[in-house]
Amino acid sequence: MEITDQDAELVRLAQAGDAKAFEALVVKYQRRIARHVARYVRNSGDVEDIVQDVFIRAHRGLASFRGDSAFFSWLYRIATNASLSHL
C-alpha cells in the first residue's frame, strides 16, 4: 500500500468517526507541519499553538475534504494559512 493509499484509508476512517485514524494522521504529520510553520514563526511556543490549531481546523474540516489532492497537501495549505493569519 502506498503512502497516499494509507492516508486515503486513514482519512476515510477518520471521516467515519474513527478517532484513532485521525490520531494516526496527526502523529504522522505533526513534525512536518511544525517545521513548515517554523519557517514563518520563530517563537517555539507560537509554533506549537499554530500546529495544534492546524490539526483542530483539519479535524473540523475533515468532512469537507474531497480527496482531490493528497491529504498532506490539504494539511500543508491549512498550516500555511494559519501561519500567515498569525503573522
Side-chain angles (χ1 to χ4, degrees), residues 1-86:
M1 186 183 295
E2 291 182 11
I3 290 174
T4 55
D5 290 341
Q6 290 173 349
D7 284 358
E9 180 63 14
L10 288 171
V11 167
R12 186 188 66 74
L13 291 169
Q15 286 174 325
D18 185 339
K20 294 269 187 206
F22 187 75
E23 182 180 342
L25 290 166
V26 171
V27 168
K28 182 175 183 177
Y29 291 120
Q30 188 171 340
R31 283 187 176 157
R32 288 175 69 185
I33 293 299
R35 282 194 305 268
H36 176 62
V37 170
R39 291 183 189 127
Y40 293 93
V41 180
R42 299 293 178 211
N43 182 302
S44 63
D46 288 343
V47 170
E48 291 175 15
D49 289 345
I50 294 168
V51 170
Q52 183 177 11
D53 184 50
V54 166
F55 285 104
I56 289 169
R57 289 181 189 192
H59 188 266
R60 288 181 181 158
L62 199 57
S64 66
F65 178 70
R66 297 182 313 258
D68 294 339
S69 63
F71 177 75
F72 181 71
S73 297
W74 183 69
L75 195 59
Y76 192 89
R77 174 50 52 193
I78 294 171
T80 299
N81 291 342
S83 298
L84 292 173
S85 291
H86 175 79

